[in-house]
CSV table of all heavy atoms in Angstrom, one decimal:
chain,number,residue,atom,x,y,z
A,520,GLY,N,-76.4,-117.4,100.0
A,520,GLY,CA,-75.2,-116.7,100.6
A,520,GLY,C,-74.3,-117.5,101.2
A,520,GLY,O,-73.2,-117.2,101.8
A,521,GLY,N,-74.3,-118.9,101.2
A,521,GLY,CA,-73.4,-119.9,101.7
A,521,GLY,C,-73.5,-119.9,103.2
A,521,GLY,O,-72.4,-120.1,103.9
A,522,LEU,N,-74.7,-119.5,103.8
A,522,LEU,CA,-74.8,-119.5,105.3
A,522,LEU,C,-75.1,-121.0,105.9
A,522,LEU,O,-75.8,-121.7,105.1
A,522,LEU,CB,-76.0,-118.6,105.6
A,522,LEU,CG,-76.0,-117.2,105.0
A,522,LEU,CD1,-77.2,-116.4,105.4
A,522,LEU,CD2,-74.7,-116.4,105.5
A,523,ALA,N,-74.8,-121.0,107.1
A,523,ALA,CA,-75.2,-122.2,107.8
A,523,ALA,C,-76.8,-121.9,108.2
A,523,ALA,O,-77.3,-120.9,108.2
A,523,ALA,CB,-74.5,-122.4,109.1
A,524,LEU,N,-77.4,-123.1,108.2
A,524,LEU,CA,-78.9,-123.0,108.6
A,524,LEU,C,-79.2,-122.2,109.8
A,524,LEU,O,-80.2,-121.4,109.8
A,524,LEU,CB,-79.6,-124.3,108.6
A,524,LEU,CG,-79.7,-125.2,107.3
A,524,LEU,CD1,-80.2,-126.5,107.6
A,524,LEU,CD2,-80.5,-124.4,106.3
A,525,ASP,N,-78.3,-122.3,110.9
A,525,ASP,CA,-78.7,-121.6,112.0
A,525,ASP,C,-78.4,-120.1,111.9
A,525,ASP,O,-79.1,-119.3,112.4
A,525,ASP,CB,-78.0,-122.2,113.3
A,525,ASP,CG,-76.4,-122.2,113.1
A,525,ASP,OD1,-75.9,-122.1,112.0
A,525,ASP,OD2,-75.8,-122.0,114.2
A,526,GLU,N,-77.4,-119.8,111.1
A,526,GLU,CA,-77.2,-118.3,110.8
A,526,GLU,C,-78.4,-117.8,110.0
A,526,GLU,O,-78.9,-116.6,110.2
A,526,GLU,CB,-75.9,-118.2,109.9
A,526,GLU,CG,-74.6,-118.6,110.7
A,526,GLU,CD,-73.4,-118.5,109.8
A,526,GLU,OE1,-73.5,-118.8,108.6
A,526,GLU,OE2,-72.4,-118.2,110.3
A,527,ALA,N,-78.8,-118.6,109.1
A,527,ALA,CA,-79.9,-118.0,108.2
A,527,ALA,C,-81.2,-117.8,109.1
A,527,ALA,O,-82.0,-116.8,109.0
A,527,ALA,CB,-80.3,-119.0,107.0
A,528,CYS,N,-81.5,-118.8,110.0
A,528,CYS,CA,-82.7,-118.8,110.9
A,528,CYS,C,-82.6,-117.5,112.0
A,528,CYS,O,-83.6,-117.0,112.2
A,528,CYS,CB,-82.9,-120.1,111.7
A,528,CYS,SG,-83.2,-121.5,110.7
A,529,ARG,N,-81.4,-117.2,112.3
A,529,ARG,CA,-81.3,-116.0,113.1
A,529,ARG,C,-81.2,-114.6,112.5
A,529,ARG,O,-81.0,-113.6,113.2
A,529,ARG,CB,-80.1,-116.3,114.1
A,529,ARG,CG,-80.1,-117.4,115.1
A,529,ARG,CD,-78.9,-117.3,115.9
A,529,ARG,NE,-77.7,-117.0,115.3
A,529,ARG,CZ,-76.6,-118.0,115.2
A,529,ARG,NH1,-76.9,-119.1,115.5
A,529,ARG,NH2,-75.6,-117.6,114.5
A,530,LEU,N,-81.3,-114.5,111.2
A,530,LEU,CA,-81.1,-113.3,110.6
A,530,LEU,C,-82.2,-112.2,111.0
A,530,LEU,O,-83.4,-112.6,111.1
A,530,LEU,CB,-81.2,-113.4,109.1
A,530,LEU,CG,-80.1,-113.8,108.3
A,530,LEU,CD1,-80.4,-114.0,106.9
A,530,LEU,CD2,-79.0,-113.1,108.5
A,531,GLU,N,-81.8,-111.0,111.3
A,531,GLU,CA,-82.6,-109.9,111.6
A,531,GLU,C,-82.8,-109.0,110.5
A,531,GLU,O,-81.8,-109.0,109.6
A,531,GLU,CB,-82.1,-109.2,112.9
A,531,GLU,CG,-82.2,-110.1,114.0
A,531,GLU,CD,-81.8,-109.4,115.3
A,531,GLU,OE1,-81.7,-108.2,115.4
A,531,GLU,OE2,-81.6,-110.2,116.4
A,532,SER,N,-83.6,-108.0,110.5
A,532,SER,CA,-83.8,-107.2,109.4
A,532,SER,C,-82.7,-106.2,109.2
A,532,SER,O,-82.3,-105.8,108.0
A,532,SER,CB,-85.2,-106.3,109.4
A,532,SER,OG,-85.1,-105.7,110.7
A,533,GLU,N,-82.1,-105.7,110.3
A,533,GLU,CA,-80.9,-104.9,110.2
A,533,GLU,C,-79.7,-105.6,109.6
A,533,GLU,O,-78.7,-104.8,109.4
A,533,GLU,CB,-80.7,-104.1,111.4
A,533,GLU,CG,-80.3,-105.0,112.7
A,533,GLU,CD,-81.8,-105.3,113.5
A,533,GLU,OE1,-82.9,-104.9,113.0
A,533,GLU,OE2,-81.6,-105.9,114.4
A,534,ASP,N,-79.7,-106.9,109.5
A,534,ASP,CA,-78.5,-107.7,109.0
A,534,ASP,C,-78.5,-107.5,107.4
A,534,ASP,O,-77.5,-107.9,106.9
A,534,ASP,CB,-78.5,-109.1,109.5
A,534,ASP,CG,-78.3,-109.2,110.9
A,534,ASP,OD1,-77.8,-108.3,111.5
A,534,ASP,OD2,-78.9,-110.3,111.5
A,535,ILE,N,-79.6,-107.2,106.7
A,535,ILE,CA,-79.5,-107.2,105.5
A,535,ILE,C,-79.3,-105.6,104.9
A,535,ILE,O,-79.9,-104.8,105.3
A,535,ILE,CB,-81.0,-107.7,104.9
A,535,ILE,CG1,-81.4,-108.9,105.5
A,535,ILE,CG2,-81.0,-107.5,103.3
A,535,ILE,CD1,-80.4,-110.1,105.1
A,536,ASP,N,-78.2,-105.6,104.2
A,536,ASP,CA,-77.8,-104.3,103.7
A,536,ASP,C,-78.0,-104.5,102.2
A,536,ASP,O,-77.1,-104.7,101.5
A,536,ASP,CB,-76.2,-104.0,104.0
A,536,ASP,CG,-75.9,-102.6,103.5
A,536,ASP,OD1,-76.7,-101.9,102.9
A,536,ASP,OD2,-74.8,-102.1,104.0
A,537,SER,N,-79.2,-103.8,101.7
A,537,SER,CA,-79.5,-104.1,100.3
A,537,SER,C,-78.7,-103.0,99.4
A,537,SER,O,-78.7,-103.2,98.3
A,537,SER,CB,-81.0,-103.9,100.1
A,537,SER,OG,-81.4,-102.6,100.6
A,538,LYS,N,-78.3,-101.9,100.0
A,538,LYS,CA,-77.6,-101.0,99.2
A,538,LYS,C,-76.2,-101.4,98.9
A,538,LYS,O,-75.8,-101.2,97.7
A,538,LYS,CB,-77.4,-99.6,100.0
A,538,LYS,CG,-78.7,-98.8,100.2
A,538,LYS,CD,-78.6,-97.5,100.9
A,538,LYS,CE,-79.9,-96.9,101.1
A,538,LYS,NZ,-79.9,-95.8,101.9
A,539,ARG,N,-75.5,-102.0,99.8
A,539,ARG,CA,-74.2,-102.6,99.6
A,539,ARG,C,-74.2,-104.0,99.2
A,539,ARG,O,-73.2,-104.8,98.8
A,539,ARG,CB,-73.2,-102.4,100.8
A,539,ARG,CG,-73.1,-101.0,101.2
A,539,ARG,CD,-71.9,-100.9,102.2
A,539,ARG,NE,-72.2,-101.5,103.4
A,539,ARG,CZ,-71.3,-102.0,104.3
A,539,ARG,NH1,-70.1,-101.6,104.2
A,539,ARG,NH2,-71.7,-102.6,105.4
A,540,MET,N,-75.5,-104.6,99.2
A,540,MET,CA,-75.7,-106.0,98.7
A,540,MET,C,-74.8,-107.1,99.7
A,540,MET,O,-74.1,-107.8,99.1
A,540,MET,CB,-75.4,-106.3,97.2
A,540,MET,CG,-76.3,-105.5,96.3
A,540,MET,SD,-78.0,-105.9,96.6
A,540,MET,CE,-78.1,-107.6,95.7
A,541,LEU,N,-75.0,-106.9,101.0
A,541,LEU,CA,-74.3,-107.5,101.8
A,541,LEU,C,-75.2,-108.2,103.0
A,541,LEU,O,-76.3,-107.6,103.2
A,541,LEU,CB,-73.2,-106.9,102.6
A,541,LEU,CG,-72.0,-106.4,101.7
A,541,LEU,CD1,-71.2,-105.3,102.4
A,541,LEU,CD2,-71.2,-107.6,101.3
A,542,ILE,N,-74.8,-109.3,103.6
A,542,ILE,CA,-75.5,-109.9,104.7
A,542,ILE,C,-74.6,-109.7,105.8
A,542,ILE,O,-73.4,-110.2,105.7
A,542,ILE,CB,-75.9,-111.4,104.5
A,542,ILE,CG1,-77.0,-111.4,103.4
A,542,ILE,CG2,-76.6,-111.9,105.8
A,542,ILE,CD1,-77.4,-112.8,103.0
A,543,ARG,N,-74.9,-109.2,107.0
A,543,ARG,CA,-74.0,-109.0,108.1
A,543,ARG,C,-74.4,-110.1,109.0
A,543,ARG,O,-75.4,-110.4,109.4
A,543,ARG,CB,-74.2,-107.7,108.9
A,543,ARG,CG,-73.4,-107.4,110.0
A,543,ARG,CD,-73.9,-106.2,110.7
A,543,ARG,NE,-73.1,-105.8,111.8
A,543,ARG,CZ,-73.1,-106.3,113.1
A,543,ARG,NH1,-74.2,-107.1,113.4
A,543,ARG,NH2,-72.3,-105.9,114.0
A,544,LEU,N,-73.2,-110.9,109.5
A,544,LEU,CA,-73.3,-112.0,110.4
A,544,LEU,C,-72.4,-111.7,111.6
A,544,LEU,O,-71.3,-111.3,111.4
A,544,LEU,CB,-73.0,-113.3,109.9
A,544,LEU,CG,-73.8,-113.7,108.6
A,544,LEU,CD1,-73.0,-115.0,108.0
A,544,LEU,CD2,-75.1,-114.1,109.0
A,545,ASP,N,-72.8,-111.9,112.8
A,545,ASP,CA,-72.0,-111.9,114.0
A,545,ASP,C,-71.1,-113.1,114.0
A,545,ASP,O,-71.7,-114.2,114.2
A,545,ASP,CB,-72.8,-111.6,115.2
A,545,ASP,CG,-73.5,-110.5,115.4
A,545,ASP,OD1,-73.0,-109.4,114.9
A,545,ASP,OD2,-74.6,-110.3,115.9
A,546,ALA,N,-69.8,-112.9,113.8
A,546,ALA,CA,-68.9,-114.1,113.7
A,546,ALA,C,-68.7,-114.7,115.2
A,546,ALA,O,-68.5,-113.8,116.1
A,546,ALA,CB,-67.6,-113.6,113.2
A,547,LYS,N,-68.9,-115.9,115.4
A,547,LYS,CA,-68.6,-116.7,116.5
A,547,LYS,C,-67.1,-116.4,117.0
A,547,LYS,O,-66.3,-116.7,116.3
A,547,LYS,CB,-69.0,-118.0,116.4
A,547,LYS,CG,-70.4,-118.3,116.1
A,547,LYS,CD,-70.6,-119.7,115.9
A,547,LYS,CE,-72.1,-119.9,115.4
A,547,LYS,NZ,-72.3,-121.4,114.9
A,548,GLY,N,-67.0,-116.0,118.1
A,548,GLY,CA,-65.7,-115.8,118.8
A,548,GLY,C,-64.8,-114.6,118.3
A,548,GLY,O,-63.7,-114.6,118.5
A,549,SER,N,-65.4,-113.7,117.6
A,549,SER,CA,-64.8,-112.6,117.1
A,549,SER,C,-65.5,-111.4,117.4
A,549,SER,O,-66.7,-111.3,117.4
A,549,SER,CB,-64.6,-112.7,115.6
A,549,SER,OG,-64.1,-111.6,115.0
A,550,ALA,N,-64.7,-110.3,117.5
A,550,ALA,CA,-65.3,-109.0,117.8
A,550,ALA,C,-66.0,-108.3,116.5
A,550,ALA,O,-66.7,-107.5,116.6
A,550,ALA,CB,-64.6,-108.1,118.5
A,551,TRP,N,-65.4,-108.8,115.4
A,551,TRP,CA,-65.8,-108.2,114.0
A,551,TRP,C,-66.9,-108.9,113.4
A,551,TRP,O,-66.7,-110.3,113.3
A,551,TRP,CB,-64.5,-108.2,113.1
A,551,TRP,CG,-63.5,-107.2,113.7
A,551,TRP,CD1,-62.4,-107.6,114.6
A,551,TRP,CD2,-63.4,-105.8,113.6
A,551,TRP,NE1,-61.7,-106.5,114.9
A,551,TRP,CE2,-62.3,-105.4,114.3
A,551,TRP,CE3,-64.2,-104.9,112.9
A,551,TRP,CZ2,-61.8,-104.0,114.2
A,551,TRP,CZ3,-63.7,-103.5,113.0
A,551,TRP,CH2,-62.6,-103.2,113.6
A,552,PRO,N,-67.8,-108.4,112.8
A,552,PRO,CA,-68.9,-109.0,112.1
A,552,PRO,C,-68.3,-109.6,110.7
A,552,PRO,O,-67.3,-109.2,110.2
A,552,PRO,CB,-70.0,-108.0,111.8
A,552,PRO,CG,-69.2,-106.7,111.8
A,552,PRO,CD,-68.0,-106.8,112.8
A,553,LYS,N,-69.0,-110.5,110.3
A,553,LYS,CA,-68.5,-111.2,108.9
A,553,LYS,C,-69.6,-110.6,107.9
A,553,LYS,O,-70.9,-110.7,108.2
A,553,LYS,CB,-68.6,-112.6,109.0
A,553,LYS,CG,-68.3,-113.5,107.8
A,553,LYS,CD,-68.1,-114.9,108.0
A,553,LYS,CE,-69.1,-115.7,107.4
A,553,LYS,NZ,-69.0,-117.1,107.7
């Protein structure tokens, strides 16, 4: 997914959206997720 290692280590089950085939990341310094 082109994630940083610390982002991958912090993934939670609700961050994986298998229906839309997306990984949700909390963007640093932003109110909007990536």
Side-chain angles (χ1 to χ4, degrees):
L522 307 177
L524 288 180
D525 61 336
E526 291 173 333
C528 289
R529 290 191 316 252
L530 280 178
E531 296 184 13
S532 57
E533 54 267 6
D534 294 336
I535 307 299
D536 187 351
S537 60
K538 290 180 184 171
R539 296 190 306 164
M540 296 299 288
L541 293 172
I542 300 173
R543 180 185 185 273
L544 300 172
D545 290 325
K547 296 175 185 171
S549 173
W551 295 93
K553 179 172 120 178

